[in-house]
Amino acid sequence: MYRSAKLSTKTRGLEPWMIVLIVIVGLLITGLIIGLLVHFLVYDQKLDYYHGTFKISNAQLDGNTEQGYAYHYKDLREMSEILVDETFMDSILNKHYIKNQVIKLTPDTDGMKVDVVIVFQFPFTERRETREKKIHNILHQKIRNTRALKINVSSLQLDAMSSTSGKLTVQSCCGKRVTPTIINRIVGGEMAPKFAWPWQASLQHNNIHQCGATLISNTWLVTAAHCFKNYPSPRGWTVSFGTTIEPPLMKRSIKRIIVHERYRSPAREYDIAVVQFSPKVTFTDDIRRICLPDASDYFPPTSTVYITGFGALSYGGPSQNDLQQASVEIISNEICKQPHVYGKEITFGMFCAGFLEGIYDACRGDSGGPLVVKDSKDTWYLIGIVSWGDNCGRQNKPGVYTQITYYRKWITSKTGL
Ligand code: 4AZ
């Protein structure tokens, strides 16, 4: 009996534990397939890049005021970006539109030619030709109806870009980063998050950190002249990138050091130098150049600005391996030139930033590094170079910075930027 019963289960069907196992495995496989489908269809949609060009006929860059309105480069770029933002945010492509970036403004016979990269994220189901047609039509219609800028409708062109060249083009633009701002202090010390300050560099002599520097192109840095007081020749100098000195994200050797020809230590005027390294870097999320302001740009007192560096956390302390950051405020010359602050020590091409109550400040080793500001479109500009100060974080002794706008033409004359 016992034997025949066993035989009958074998012939009638599977053991109960096998059925349970099969159900569990089946559920797991179904779950995995659903998970992968959701991942690829919802989260892993690739970005689509388009290169658009159009011509604004009533705009000129300032300095050329014969026809139409004269704009600063920065304002015209911002107006064009806002126009493209509005175009797609108010359209049926709203859900798929990511962002746009003006990559070039070129003066043309009777206006300005604008080159812009427009980024979308579409579901896989939509055909490529359909998308391109929709984008073109929406842009065409907006341009025809726009009043603020007179855009030549027939000048509009739109081409799809490969995702590699789209990504590279967007990354090569200045002053953009991939992380939001969460901040405080260098003296007192707060570590900078990865990707937050991709233009920060460390200048090293015989592999020892000496100064900060800021990336302004794929081969040029801006820093302070006083960093080269002891070692004026490029020999022995290297630059490293990334949020730690050790290990460095990337390292390059310095080929050229151009110190301002009027810098005379121990005087503090003309504390600026440009430095060229080789080979060039490729921009990524962690290494990017910052934008330089126009010579005529003005950044008013009490504006919030940011300083970063590998410098000491207190006067006399050691340099840091992890990049530190602080949020400070621009202090007016009127306040900084008061006798109990710096008096006559503040001269042309300098400005103060920090707080009169002290605490948040740059310190030794931060010298040469950036003081930066963000505009309304989240584009970052270099406006100061850490130059000097009486001690660090002391009351009535804020940090003093080389004013980039004052030396803007000098930078162009040496680097072409
Ligand atoms: C320095 O010795 C230094 N508190 C840099 C900045 C400041 C002070 C000293 C500003 O490089």
Side-chain angles (χ1 to χ4, degrees):
M1 271 299 278
Y2 180 64
R3 222 176 149 192
S4 67
K6 216 178 172 188
L7 266 176
S8 69
T9 17
K10 241 187 195 166
T11 44
R12 255 192 284 127
L14 297 166
E15 296 267 4
W17 68 266
M18 283 177 105
I19 296 171
V20 172
L21 191 72
I22 289 167
V23 170
I24 290 174
V25 170
L27 283 174
L28 279 177
I29 292 173
T30 321
L32 193 71
I33 292 170
I34 292 173
L36 284 172
L37 277 175
V38 169
H39 177 76
F40 283 115
L41 290 177
V42 181
Y43 294 108
D44 199 34
Q45 292 170 0
K46 270 182 122 180
L47 295 180
D48 269 27
Y49 295 85
Y50 294 86
H51 176 203
T53 57
F54 52 84
K55 219 163 99 178
I56 308 174
S57 50
N58 64 340
Q60 305 279 326
L61 287 184
D62 55 353
N64 184 0
T65 48
E66 279 161 31
Q67 282 171 315
Y69 300 106
Y71 294 97
H72 279 313
Y73 178 93
K74 211 171 78 185
D75 296 334
L76 202 53
R77 186 173 58 91
E78 198 168 320
M79 283 167 76
S80 308
E81 285 181 353
I82 290 170
L83 175 85
V84 179
D85 268 347
E86 282 175 0
T87 305
F88 292 107
M89 280 171 175
D90 298 341
S91 77
I92 49 160
L93 294 184
N94 174 26
K95 271 202 285 188
H96 306 298
Y97 174 68
I98 306 287
K99 63 172 178 179
N100 82 86
Q101 211 159 285
V102 168
I103 48 167
K104 211 162 51 172
L105 280 174
T106 335
D108 212 270
T109 39
D110 54 346
M112 292 294 297
K113 185 174 153 240
V114 181
D115 280 78
V116 61
V117 175
I118 314 171
V119 190
F120 293 90
Q121 192 169 47
F122 288 107
F124 281 130
T125 44
E126 185 141 43
R127 283 186 58 222
R128 205 183 153 85
E129 295 76 34
T130 326
R131 296 175 202 164
E132 213 167 314
K133 217 175 197 160
K134 270 190 202 164
I135 298 169
H136 189 281
N137 289 347
I138 291 168
L139 206 49
H140 193 271
Q141 191 158 0
K142 175 77 176 187
I143 282 176
R144 218 176 23 197
N145 297 333
T146 196
R147 299 264 171 274
L149 293 169
K150 205 169 130 203
I151 300 173
N152 187 339
V153 182
S154 61
S155 69
L156 176 66
Q157 274 184 22
L158 191 83
D159 300 294
M161 300 173 87
S162 74
S163 65
T164 329
S165 83
K167 206 171 162 190
L168 276 176
T169 313
V170 169
Q171 279 179 343
S172 69
C173 288
C174 68
K176 289 290 180 186
R177 63 182 211 184
V178 293
T179 186
T181 321
I182 336 156
I183 296 278
N184 239 315
R185 66 203 137 145
I186 299 199
V187 168
E190 181 179 273
M191 248 171 81
K194 200 168 149 47
F195 306 132
W197 315 106
W199 37 80
Q200 172 81 47
S202 151
L203 281 175
Q204 300 168 11
H205 190 263
N206 292 344
N207 293 319
I208 299 167
H209 170 84
Q210 304 284 336
C211 267
T214 312
L215 194 62
I216 54 164
S217 82
N218 57 3
T219 181
W220 285 102
L221 301 157
V222 171
T223 186
H226 79 255
C227 297
F228 304 103
K229 218 161 46 182
N230 297 336
Y231 311 105
S233 136
R235 202 157 2 107
W237 281 100
T238 49
V239 57
S240 84
F241 298 96
T243 45
T244 54
I245 301 246
E246 211 48 65
L249 186 66
M250 193 171 291
K251 239 175 157 160
R252 293 287 189 261
S253 37
I254 301 300
K255 296 293 171 214
R256 244 194 317 174
I257 297 170
I258 307 176
V259 167
H260 198 293
E261 42 282 75
R262 294 198 175 166
Y263 175 72
R264 300 273 179 277
S265 168
R268 282 141 170 181
E269 290 81 14
Y270 304 103
D271 195 8
I272 185 167
V274 285
V275 169
Q276 192 170 32
F277 61 82
S278 162
K280 291 175 177 161
V281 285
T282 303
F283 297 126
T284 60
D285 287 347
D286 339 62
I287 303 179
R288 291 201 185 171
R289 69 189 171 106
I290 197 162
C291 305
L292 290 169
D294 289 337
S296 59
D297 282 345
Y298 173 66
F299 304 95
T302 75
S303 302
T304 297
V305 292
Y306 300 88
I307 49 174
T308 48
F310 297 97
L313 301 182
S314 58
Y315 194 66
S319 287
Q320 298 300 297
N321 193 52
D322 295 302
L323 184 63
Q324 307 288 307
Q325 64 183 25
S327 154
V328 290
E329 280 181 11
I330 296 182
I331 297 172
S332 70
N333 269 355
E334 198 189 338
I335 291 176
C336 213
K337 282 181 175 176
Q338 290 180 109
H340 67 285
V341 188
Y342 285 121
K344 292 196 172 73
E345 288 182 275
I346 303 299
T347 59
F348 60 88
M350 300 176 190
F351 69 96
C352 302
F355 301 96
L356 290 187
E357 35 302 8
I359 309 181
Y360 304 117
D361 196 7
C363 204
R364 201 190 177 86
D366 292 320
S367 276
L371 179 146
V372 299
V373 72
K374 184 171 67 146
D375 75 2
S376 58
K377 290 273 293 177
D378 281 355
T379 302
W380 292 83
Y381 288 83
L382 177 70
I383 64 172
I385 303 169
V386 179
S387 180
W388 62 276
D390 179 351
N391 211 299
C392 309
R394 284 237 177 118
Q395 222 184 359
N396 293 324
K397 300 294 167 193
V400 187
Y401 298 81
T402 307
Q403 188 189 332
I404 292 292
T405 52
Y406 188 86
Y407 293 103
R408 184 63 187 88
K409 289 196 176 116
W410 181 83
I411 297 173
T412 307
S413 72
K414 302 296 169 188
T415 64
L417 295 165

